Amino acid sequence: MKHNVILVLLDGLSYQVAQHALGHLQAYCRAGRAALYKLDCELPALSRPLYECILTGVTPIDSGIVHNDVVRLSNQRSIFHYARDAGLKTAAAAYHWVSELYNRAPFQAARDRHTADAALPIQYGHFYYADHYPDSHLFADADSLRQQQAPDFLLVHPMNIDDAGHKFGLDSPQYRNSARMADVLLAEYIQTWLDAGYQILVTADHGMNADRSHNGLLPEEREVPLLVLGSAFSLDPQAQPKQTELCGTVCELLGVAHDKPLCRELLK
Ligand SMILES: [Zn+2]
């Protein structure tokens, strides 16, 4: 069975804040139309290594994307590769490091910020390069791609939660409120996306700590949410998905060939 998929990556959202701050998404859970799981991110708890982990299913120590300053194309196969090679349409509204991992590195804003090239793994993209690029604009960029291109796979990747965490720390009104803001923004789109037939996953690369950073094993920097919404999900509370299984699970939903681990229990 083939489904279209939207993967929302809320950068830097700790599970402990996701648990109480996402009122709209939690309403879907309470109504039995979504499920919330807790994942431990792979190590180190850093952005670029974990974008690669989520999108390819490969851990940082195996991918070689071991810190944020490794600026090169990934040498792994990502969801974008599997989908494009199966003839599906791919799109992303995401931080420019995602463009660097799968399309072109280093990022050149004038060339890469707006991308439309069927030969690239990410065929249609809007990529930003300021951490304070407003989430409201990012979600509008993403929905524009959806409306204009009708992609089979769309990555939506806002940065304001992580940005607030680095400026104010885990235990701050600014960090928590940026998570609440992302939830309100999602409220504008979620039902439209579901009605359009998309299966939706909402997760984070890593969390945040009280030192305004993230890298290691503290629960608040390592535990991240995974919310799933859509008719293809089992919503089984016993499922124990891993971050390395997201790539294979999305490929399974898309109905494309892949060679990565997946979490079968997440799916019907
Ligand atoms: Zn960060």
Side-chain angles (χ1 to χ4, degrees):
M1 178 83 183
K2 179 201 171 309
H3 303 278
N4 292 343
V5 178
I6 294 177
L7 173 60
V8 181
L9 181 48
L10 299 174
D11 205 289
L13 178 58
S14 177
Y15 180 81
Q16 63 170 250
V17 170
Q19 221 177 358
H20 67 70
L22 308 179
H24 183 76
L25 289 171
Q26 285 281 12
Y28 279 88
C29 293
R30 302 289 160 95
R33 299 182 217 165
L36 170 63
Y37 302 96
K38 180 164 68 179
L39 309 185
D40 278 338
C41 78
E42 293 298 324
L43 295 172
L46 286 173
S47 290
R48 196 190 300 248
L50 297 176
Y51 304 162
E52 171 81 339
C53 178
I54 290 167
L55 292 163
T56 70
V58 179
T59 61
I61 55 172
D62 286 333
S63 72
I65 307 293
V66 288
H67 60 73
N68 286 335
D69 297 329
V70 178
V71 180
R72 63 161 170 83
L73 280 176
S74 165
N75 52 28
Q76 308 296 320
R77 287 173 57 73
S78 71
I79 299 170
F80 300 110
H81 294 86
Y82 296 117
R84 179 202 58 181
D85 292 352
L88 302 186
K89 197 183 273 193
T90 62
Y95 197 55
H96 68 296
W97 292 354
V98 175
S99 175
E100 287 183 328
L101 281 167
Y102 308 112
N103 275 2
R104 288 183 286 239
F107 182 80
Q108 294 177 23
R111 179 191 64 184
D112 301 324
R113 172 156 165 66
H114 302 292
T115 293
D117 183 343
L120 290 170
I122 308 173
Q123 296 167 317
Y124 299 93
H126 297 307
F127 299 101
Y128 61 98
Y129 48 96
D131 291 18
H132 58 279
Y133 184 71
D135 283 2
S136 57
H137 292 42
L138 183 279
F139 278 101
D141 291 346
D143 203 51
S144 169
L145 289 166
R146 185 191 65 82
Q147 290 184 34
Q148 294 190 15
Q149 304 300 338
D152 299 278
F153 175 64
L154 171 64
L155 172 68
V156 183
H157 175 215
M159 187 61 73
N160 289 172
I161 299 170
D162 185 72
D163 191 45
H166 287 297
K167 287 170 176 158
F168 303 102
L170 170 76
D171 186 17
S172 69
Q174 291 89 344
Y175 178 73
R176 289 185 290 267
N177 282 335
S178 64
R180 294 175 180 120
M181 288 282 296
D183 179 72
V184 172
L185 289 165
L186 271 167
E188 182 68 22
Y189 299 105
I190 285 279
Q191 193 57 50
T192 307
W193 293 347
L194 290 169
D195 291 345
Y198 283 94
Q199 306 299 315
I200 303 170
L201 301 92
V202 181
T203 190
D205 44 356
H206 54 73
M208 185 60 60
N209 63 36
D211 302 329
R212 307 181 186 187
S213 66
H214 47 84
N215 185 54
L217 286 83
L218 293 171
E220 58 269 32
E221 51 187 337
R222 190 158 194 203
E223 293 174 359
V224 296
L226 172 66
L227 280 127
V228 297
L229 308 89
S231 58
F233 292 104
S234 66
L235 309 183
D236 177 357
Q238 304 303 322
Q240 293 183 306
K242 297 185 171 70
Q243 197 169 40
T244 48
E245 296 172 336
L246 293 175
C247 171
T249 304
V250 169
C251 287
E252 206 72 15
L253 286 165
L254 292 167
V256 302
H258 67 94
D259 52 2
K260 298 292 165 62
L262 70 137
C263 183
R264 184 72 63 186
E265 296 72 31
L266 270 186
L267 306 176
K268 270 186 183 162

